[in-house]
Structures are given as structure tokens and as C-alpha cells.
């Protein structure tokens, strides 16, 4: 897990609990792929609107919070290849997990943009 300049980042960094952000979910064969504007309040996703490349209804339970992204990285199986990138405050900017490096289409990739903290 690395931050700007490749320095080691603490995965235990405390994440904000109320914010808006844009999440892009790519790679792998799974249903939750696309770009979404997400609203998180009290560490719960309360709204997610598809911005592009998503057909169907967004299920809020599939949309990760920043805390969820860190926990996904920390909880990945020992064989998984995990690349969690964080900013200087320890907030995730991207996550890529290859759950089974010897298999195809099992990866999960996320990018976080336009993070705006809310009171």
C-alpha cells in the first residue's frame, strides 16, 4: 500500500464518515462496473447515481465507502495481489485487488475522485 511518492501508508488511517465522491469501478467480470456519484453519511452509502457505463439499478449495498475500500484491501486473502493507493491523509485514491493471480476476470479496480467532505 503506498501513498504519494511510494511511501508506506497506514491502512488503519481513520477515514471521514460524511462525504461525496465519484467512484469508478472497473475490471473483472461482475455487475458493479461504471462511474458513480456517491453520497456517504455517517459511513453509510445513502445515494449512488450512475454517471456513465451502468445499466440497471444501482444497489447501495454494492457501493463501497472509503472505509470499505481500506477493509477490502486489509481483508484480502494472502494470495491476492493488492494495490491500495492513498493520499497524504491516508484516504484511498485507488484500489486494485487481483483475488486469484492465476485466474482471469476476478479482479476489482476502483478509483476515487472529487472527494468533498461534509459536516
Amino acid at each position: 500500500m503506498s501513498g504519494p511518492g511510494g511511501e508506506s501508508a497506514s491502512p488503519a488511517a481513520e477515514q471521514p464518515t460524511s462525504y461525496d465522491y465519484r467512484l469508478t469501478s472497473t475490471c473483472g467480470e461482475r455487475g458493479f462496473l461504471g462511474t458513480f456519484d456517491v453520497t456517504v453519511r455517517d459511513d453509510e452509502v445513502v445515494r449512488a447515481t450512475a454517471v456513465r457505463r451502468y445499466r440497471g439499478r444501482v444497489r447501495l449495498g454494492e457501493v463501497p465507502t472509503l472505509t470499505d475500500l481500506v477493509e477490502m484491501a486489509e481483508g484480502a486473502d494472502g494470495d491476492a495481489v493488492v494495490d491500495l493507493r492513498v493520499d497524504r491523509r491516508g484516504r484511498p485514491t485507488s484500489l486494485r485487488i487481483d483475488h486469484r493471480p492465476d485466474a482471469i476476470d476476478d479482479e476489482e479496480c476502483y478509483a476515487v475522485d472529487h472527494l468533498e467532505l461534509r459536516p
Side-chain angles (χ1 to χ4, degrees):
M1 294 179 221
S2 61
E7 69 266 12
S8 181
S10 169
E14 188 172 322
Q15 301 303 315
T17 59
S18 293
Y19 51 91
D20 300 323
Y21 77 108
R22 179 163 286 176
L23 177 72
T24 301
S25 173
T26 60
C27 73
E29 284 194 24
R30 51 199 176 90
F32 182 65
L33 297 172
T35 300
F36 307 87
D37 283 337
V38 181
T39 301
V40 176
R41 297 296 180 264
D42 297 322
D43 213 25
E44 295 287 326
V45 175
V46 297
R47 192 181 68 141
T49 305
V51 175
R52 61 181 173 267
R53 196 178 171 225
Y54 190 76
R55 295 178 189 205
R57 204 182 98 194
V58 178
R59 293 186 180 106
L60 296 183
E62 293 180 323
V63 182
T65 64
L66 297 179
T67 300
D68 291 336
L69 293 174
V70 172
E71 289 176 352
M72 290 166 64
E74 291 175 341
D77 289 340
D79 292 339
V81 176
V82 178
D83 182 18
L84 173 65
R85 301 205 178 240
V86 299
D87 65 14
R88 62 184 154 205
R89 293 184 178 133
R91 296 178 185 143
T93 58
S94 67
L95 171 63
R96 179 180 172 90
I97 302 175
D98 188 351
H99 295 280
R100 294 182 6 232
D102 59 341
I104 58 171
D105 294 332
D106 66 311
E107 302 87 3
E108 293 182 68
C109 305
Y110 302 96
V112 173
D113 292 303
H114 308 296
L115 178 63
E116 294 183 38
L117 302 182
R118 302 293 179 206

